Amino acid sequence: MEKEEGKPTFLLRGIGVSPGIVRGKAYLYDRVDEPVTLYKLTNPDLVAKEVKRLKKALRESERQLRELKNNLGFMAGAEPLYIIDVYMMILRDKAFVKGTVQNIEEALVNAEWAVKMTIDRYRAVFEKVTDHYLRGRIADIEYVGQRVIRSLAGINKPVIKDLGKGVIIIARDLSPADTAQMMMDKVLGFATDMGGKTSHTAIVTKAIGIPAVLGLETLTAVAKTNDEIIIDGTSGIVIINPDQEMLKRYEDKKRLYLDAELVTLKYARLPAITRDNHKIKISSNIEFLEEIPTAISCGAEGIGLYRTEFIYINRESPPTEEDHFQSYSRVIGQNGLAWTNIRTFDLGADKVFAEAKSPREANPQMGLRAIRFSLKEKELFITQLRAILRASAMGRTRVLFPMISSVEELREAKEILGQVKQGLVAEGVPIGDKVEVGIMIEVPSAVVMARDLAKEADFFSIGTNDLIQYLLAVDRVNEKVTYLYEPLHPAILRLLKQVVEAGHEAGIPVSICGEMAGEPLYTVILLGMELDELSMNPLAIPRIKKIIRRTSLGESKALLNEVLNYSSVAEIRKRVESFMGERFPEEFSE
Ligand code: PEP
Ligand code: MG
């Protein structure tokens, strides 16, 4: 699906309260509180009348909640029903009812205003409570109060109606009852400005199993009904009007999320060692720091690719050195992560957030992107490099330059890095002892020049996403040519082998960090290449480990050598699919 022209992309971070990834159309649910007007009761007869109105509204509210509970009967025993019980208890609570009646009798005000006074009084008390959970409970009383006020106003239609199926609800706030009611409409997910991990809405969404991100603060200010939206309830990320590249990434993540759940527990913690004792390093690609816990729990040994361009999203001005440093110091040296490959920003091209800076290019994939952009915008580059080097004092750090297409580019980038290092040392700023410098091999010329590049780099990381695009001349985000985007193309396999050999001849390690590394179908072929490391979407790790542990380097090399003789994609694909299907029937049976 095309990103609608003119709609800006926003990325927001909140609290992921219910895991899972969904994508759909946003529906802005605006719960407008009923306006409450004050009437003074001038005539004593009116007092009894108002008390009667109040009691009737309390009964009506209770009836509505009971009805909602009955409608949700299929979820018996689940959290939402318990919360509705809590609401009914508040409605019957002596202090709540008596206090409100007293407001009518003593302050001589209408029932609506009396309810408002009661809520205000509770709010004042709850605001003083230090316990986060308890303080959050005022939301329940406010919700009940609103129900009563609506009943007094004669509004008894459900708060939400006619949502349509398959929407993602965005709202300022959602009560657990709203949430429970909406799920009957088969809502895909929820995202709200307010709310936290312990809010009832969080508990309800989790119990129902619908992905949700709360506490986004500015969501309803930027998102509108019908905007395309992605919710990642695992990492707490919400993307509004994603571009093609993000959509594709999240489609993959979504699929992997479902698979990973099943195999995570068993394989995540085990090392990636083949039956004949060949060890391969497994690391994670991340775009956001929020993915680090998933990377660790899925079994990543390090971060093989940190796509730092995501730090630039949603900003009017570029991030400062401190912004960069804050990000890197939260990943480098993290317990459980033995190394971090920080790729300098790959801005330009399809990375939307560069739009502000550079005018639209006719052919952005081959335009001023990645290292080309860095070498042109040196100030931005230096700012990032300073932050990376400062953070390198905290643990093993490897700098990775994207889109290197010649030795000159590598030399120039290293030269700048060297100057930055000298500057920091002169300032007395501590930096890591040895910061390795690697390059992404993702442009065909870099493959041809791999032997020369290997003499000047500490490691190679092959970016198959771009390498396939450039080698086969297939735009990676153009769905009209996806049928040509073929990782098993003989030209790709031969090139990969060449890169590994060139790296190893020079004594440097070679890894792959393109999506290909996380696709189980290609695992045995990649093992046969004798790559040193596979870096992938964290959710893919457990399944890839499972395959590695059940295969041997010997059989992997044999399969690779066999298919390297084939000259057509069809032959290779057929052989690889039948090999994998026979060896791992449980993984590849449809
Ligand atoms: C790649 O090109 O394979 C890669 C890992 O980088 P990106 O997907 O960010 O371009
Ligand atoms: Mg790339």
Side-chain angles (χ1 to χ4, degrees):
M1 188 183 301
E2 283 287 334
K3 177 166 110 79
E4 281 183 56
E5 272 313 310
K7 285 199 171 182
T9 301
F10 289 100
L11 183 142
L12 301 177
R13 294 182 161 79
I15 307 157
V17 293
S18 180
I21 294 169
V22 279
R23 166 192 162 189
K25 289 276 178 214
Y27 179 97
L28 177 66
Y29 165 60
D30 211 359
R31 195 188 89 195
V32 190
D33 285 350
E34 275 307 303
V36 180
T37 319
L38 165 68
Y39 296 108
K40 272 294 202 184
L41 307 179
T42 42
N43 180 342
D45 290 351
L46 290 176
V47 171
K49 219 169 134 198
E50 279 308 288
V51 173
K52 213 166 142 197
R53 268 187 76 225
L54 173 72
K55 297 255 168 91
K56 190 167 162 228
L58 290 170
R59 280 196 303 277
E60 172 57 20
S61 303
E62 197 174 331
R63 191 196 60 74
Q64 288 170 10
L65 286 171
R66 196 169 303 112
E67 191 178 298
L68 176 60
K69 189 174 164 180
N70 287 341
N71 287 339
L72 295 171
F74 62 95
M75 285 174 44
E79 201 79 36
L81 302 192
Y82 149 71
I83 287 164
I84 295 171
D85 285 339
V86 172
Y87 290 159
M88 294 203 277
M89 274 158 60
I90 297 174
L91 278 173
R92 279 186 238 126
D93 181 75
K94 279 209 178 76
F96 182 88
V97 178
K98 240 182 164 170
T100 311
V101 170
Q102 244 168 25
N103 292 341
I104 298 176
E105 291 171 346
E106 290 167 15
L108 298 175
V109 293
N110 53 326
E112 288 87 341
W113 197 262
V115 174
K116 183 179 157 352
M117 285 170 74
T118 303
I119 299 172
D120 289 346
R121 199 162 49 234
Y122 276 106
R123 195 181 295 114
V125 174
F126 274 80
E127 266 164 12
K128 291 196 196 93
V129 176
T130 46
D131 182 286
H132 205 256
Y133 177 83
L134 276 180
R135 208 172 46 214
R137 301 286 67 80
I138 183 61
D140 299 338
I141 296 173
E142 283 172 343
Y143 179 81
V144 170
Q146 267 303 312
R147 280 252 168 194
V148 179
I149 290 171
R150 289 173 75 83
S151 297
L152 281 165
I155 305 168
N156 55 14
K157 62 176 185 284
V159 188
I160 299 131
K161 58 176 182 87
D162 304 334
L163 280 182
K165 302 234 182 306
V167 294
I168 290 175
I169 298 291
I170 54 176
R172 216 153 46 81
D173 198 10
L174 278 178
S175 77
D178 291 345
T179 316
Q181 198 165 325
M182 281 184 205
M183 50 142 305
M184 298 199 304
D185 293 311
K186 303 219 174 3
V187 161
L188 292 176
F190 297 94
T192 63
D193 291 344
M194 317 221 306
K197 256 207 155 63
T198 54
S199 69
H200 271 155
T201 305
I203 298 165
V204 171
T205 52
K206 208 163 171 180
I208 299 166
I210 294 178
V213 180
L214 310 184
L216 289 152
E217 292 177 7
T218 53
L219 173 71
T220 56
V222 295
K224 309 272 165 298
T225 295
N226 282 332
D227 276 353
E228 177 83 15
I229 185 166
I230 294 171
I231 291 197
D232 179 350
T234 312
S235 307
I237 303 265
V238 169
I239 303 173
I240 301 135
N241 299 320
D243 67 0
Q244 293 278 65
E245 177 77 23
M246 286 172 171
L247 277 178
K248 175 153 184 339
R249 257 196 237 300
Y250 270 87
E251 282 303 322
D252 289 346
K253 274 191 195 190
K254 186 173 151 187
R255 182 173 49 79
L256 290 168
Y257 177 78
L258 300 172
D259 293 347
E261 269 191 321
L262 302 169
V263 277
T264 300
L265 287 175
K266 200 152 168 229
Y267 288 93
R269 291 268 137 247
L270 300 173
I273 299 180
T274 60
R275 284 182 166 168
D276 48 357
N277 258 330
H278 175 74
K279 162 105 176 69
I280 180 162
K281 292 189 173 121
I282 299 290
S283 56
S284 169
N285 295 352
I286 57 166
E287 279 99 48
F288 311 113
L289 296 168
E290 288 80 354
E291 291 171 294
I292 297 170
T294 313
I296 295 173
S297 68
C298 283
E301 298 162 59
I303 299 296
L305 173 67
Y306 179 5
R307 291 184 162 101
T308 61
E309 54 274 13
F310 283 83
I311 298 173
Y312 293 74
I313 202 166
N314 288 358
R315 284 178 187 267
E316 293 287 320
S317 53
T320 61
E321 183 182 319
E322 211 43 44
D323 293 331
H324 280 289
F325 178 74
Q326 286 305 328
S327 295
Y328 308 147
S329 58
R330 279 172 59 197
V331 52
I332 294 171
Q334 267 270 342
N335 259 349
L337 294 175
W339 69 93
T340 303
N341 294 351
I342 301 203
R343 181 175 75 181
T344 59
F345 55 77
D346 185 354
L347 289 170
D350 53 336
K351 308 281 164 64
V352 289
F353 15 96
E355 281 172 359
K357 185 121 187 123
S358 51
R360 266 238 170 278
E361 297 176 19
N363 208 345
Q365 295 287 358
M366 295 199 226
L368 191 64
R369 62 173 284 206
I371 197 70
R372 303 168 182 183
F373 188 75
S374 304
L375 295 177
K376 189 114 188 157
E377 297 287 339
K378 289 211 178 65
E379 284 312 308
L380 287 181
F381 193 39
I382 290 170
T383 302
Q384 177 174 37
L385 292 177
R386 274 182 65 92
I388 297 174
L389 288 175
R390 279 173 56 203
S392 72
M394 305 170 87
R396 187 171 173 206
T397 308
R398 300 160 101 211
V399 179
L400 182 54
F401 295 130
M403 284 271 291
I404 293 285
S405 65
S406 66
V407 280
E408 285 89 337
E409 276 172 345
L410 173 57
R411 284 180 192 156
E412 195 181 345
K414 279 178 74 174
E415 172 75 26
I416 297 172
L417 180 69
Q419 285 164 6
V420 171
K421 203 183 276 181
Q422 268 180 8
L424 287 167
V425 172
E427 288 170 40
V429 177
I431 58 173
D433 293 339
K434 168 134 183 57
V435 177
E436 294 149 89
V437 177
I439 59 172
M440 297 278 298
I441 301 284
E442 49 187 349
V443 179
S445 62
V447 180
V448 177
M449 299 303 293
R451 284 200 164 74
D452 303 79
L453 289 164
K455 291 187 193 132
E456 304 187 32
D458 297 317
F459 67 99
F460 282 166
S461 187
I462 308 174
T464 45
N465 304 342
D466 277 317
L467 187 59
I468 296 169
Q469 132 163 302
Y470 295 127
L471 192 69
L472 304 183
V474 180
D475 183 344
R476 65 193 255 190
V477 294
N478 181 347
E479 67 279 1
K480 292 199 184 81
V481 284
T482 25
Y483 73 100
L484 289 172
Y485 192 93
E486 179 52 83
L488 289 180
H489 193 295
I492 300 293
L493 297 187
R494 291 176 198 185
L495 239 60
L496 293 181
K497 185 124 197 302
Q498 241 174 280
V499 178
V500 179
E501 282 170 0
H504 286 179
E505 265 172 35
I508 64 167
V510 182
S511 66
I512 283 205
C513 62
E515 293 310 298
M516 195 180 175
E519 276 299 329
L521 183 66
Y522 311 135
T523 306
V524 173
I525 288 290
L526 296 182
L527 262 177
M529 299 262 179
E530 294 187 81
L531 283 147
D532 301 278
E533 177 183 335
L534 300 178
S535 187
M536 63 196 78
N537 185 316
L539 298 165
I541 293 175
R543 230 173 132 202
I544 299 294
K545 281 192 173 178
K546 184 176 170 191
I547 292 176
I548 292 171
R549 293 179 60 83
R550 291 176 174 200
T551 189
S552 72
L553 182 61
E555 66 175 335
S556 306
K557 279 162 94 171
L559 176 68
L560 176 67
N561 287 333
E562 184 193 332
V563 301
L564 279 174
N565 292 318
Y566 298 145
S567 52
S568 81
V569 173
E571 279 171 301
I572 300 180
R573 187 156 273 282
K574 191 164 163 240
R575 178 65 185 119
V576 172
E577 280 176 357
S578 81
F579 179 92
M580 297 304 277
E582 276 165 33
R583 283 288 282 104
F584 308 99
E586 76 285 12
E587 291 294 318
F588 295 97
S589 58
E590 279 304 299

